Amino acid sequence: MTLTLEKSMLPPVRLGRAYFEQNTIALAQDLLGKKLVFGAFEGCITETEAYRGEDDPACHAARGKTPRTQVMYGPAGFSYVYFIYGRYFCFNIVSESEGMPAAVLIRGLRVQRPVMLHLDGPGKVCRHLSMDRSHNAIDLTLASDFYVTDLGLRPAFDATPRIGIRVGREHPWRFVVKDPHFFVGCRENPRVKKSVK
DNA sequence: GACCGGATCCGT
DNA sequence: CGGATCCGGTCT
């Protein structure tokens, strides 16, 4: 007897180096709907921003390589976690080829495990997952408990200028999943501990 | 060693 | 709309 597997029934495919090496703008769009696994947490990426190269004035690497931005110059698929405003961490995934400093900021996550909730904002994502400095410069293509998989979802999205920047406003490099049904079953604006300490 | 401003969030 | 609250980057 013949058995037909629907695409949705196939085991999720862990994304590897070649996937993250693509153009940062394309990657930021494509990461929408992908599943992020971080320890016990699992959730779909719902909002991203692209930061691309030394010519992008909003990119942390706009003034060249520094100790902080070094990971952005390395291979694609590594985490870039940085501290901001004295309180928050933000999580990025390095993109493109070695030598090209670029990354995708993960701004929104529809968490499905171990609870259902929607995290809207990069600081909230890291705060809820307890992601900090210790999770910087980790290879998401090799780590056993920190990676991204393809669920086969291709959610429609909107493009807008990036949030919280003073330069580089001309680029519509923020991407947000459009369909509100994508969030069904998730609590909005969860209350989590307010302090990063 | 000092100063400045930041890819944020929350309460007013 | 302002304050919180560190730190990286830059200048001295």
Side-chain angles (χ1 to χ4, degrees):
Chain A
M1 130 176 165
T2 326
L3 182 63
T4 304
L5 278 178
E6 294 299 324
K7 187 177 184 182
S8 60
M9 296 176 63
L10 292 171
V13 179
R14 177 177 180 149
L15 296 167
R17 191 84 56 213
Y19 174 78
F20 296 107
E21 282 173 346
Q22 63 182 305
N23 172 279
T24 310
I25 315 305
L27 179 64
Q29 297 175 168
D30 200 87
L31 278 170
L32 297 173
K34 295 293 182 290
K35 181 164 83 175
L36 172 68
V37 177
F38 180 73
F41 295 98
E42 286 187 18
C44 283
I45 296 170
T46 59
E47 180 179 340
T48 59
E49 279 177 2
Y51 289 88
R52 185 172 192 273
E54 296 179 345
D55 293 333
D56 173 5
C59 182
H60 286 170
R63 287 173 197 163
K65 187 188 285 188
T66 67
R68 179 174 67 152
T69 61
Q70 191 164 7
V71 66
M72 295 179 85
Y73 285 79
F78 277 69
S79 60
Y80 168 43
V81 179
Y82 68 90
F83 187 63
I84 191 69
Y85 295 120
R87 319 193 140 196
Y88 304 106
F89 291 96
C90 292
F91 163 54
N92 300 247
I93 301 175
V94 173
S95 58
E96 311 231 7
S97 54
E98 268 192 81
M100 163 61 116
V104 175
L105 173 66
I106 306 302
R107 294 189 54 89
L109 196 66
R110 175 202 187 197
V111 179
Q112 293 153 323
R113 288 183 190 186
V115 293
M116 299 277 282
L117 78 174
H118 181 56
L119 302 170
D120 56 345
K124 294 178 189 177
V125 170
C126 286
R127 183 199 291 167
H128 186 84
L129 303 190
S130 299
M131 202 180 280
D132 59 34
R133 275 181 195 83
S134 69
H135 304 105
N136 184 47
I138 292 175
D139 188 345
L140 305 195
T141 71
L142 294 179
S144 61
D145 56 353
F146 194 5
Y147 55 93
V148 183
T149 68
D150 185 0
L151 300 172
L153 302 175
R154 306 290 300 185
F157 61 88
D158 291 315
T160 79
R162 293 167 291 181
I163 303 295
I165 56 170
R166 303 175 58 123
V167 289
R169 301 267 193 103
E170 65 274 21
H171 298 123
W173 288 352
R174 169 178 175 250
F175 306 103
V176 194
V177 168
K178 184 180 289 191
D179 188 357
H181 295 301
F182 198 71
F183 303 112
V184 165
C186 291
R187 282 168 55 211
E188 305 284 334
N189 298 318
R191 299 283 301 192
V192 290
K193 62 175 180 176
K194 291 180 182 174
S195 170
V196 296
K197 288 200 67 176

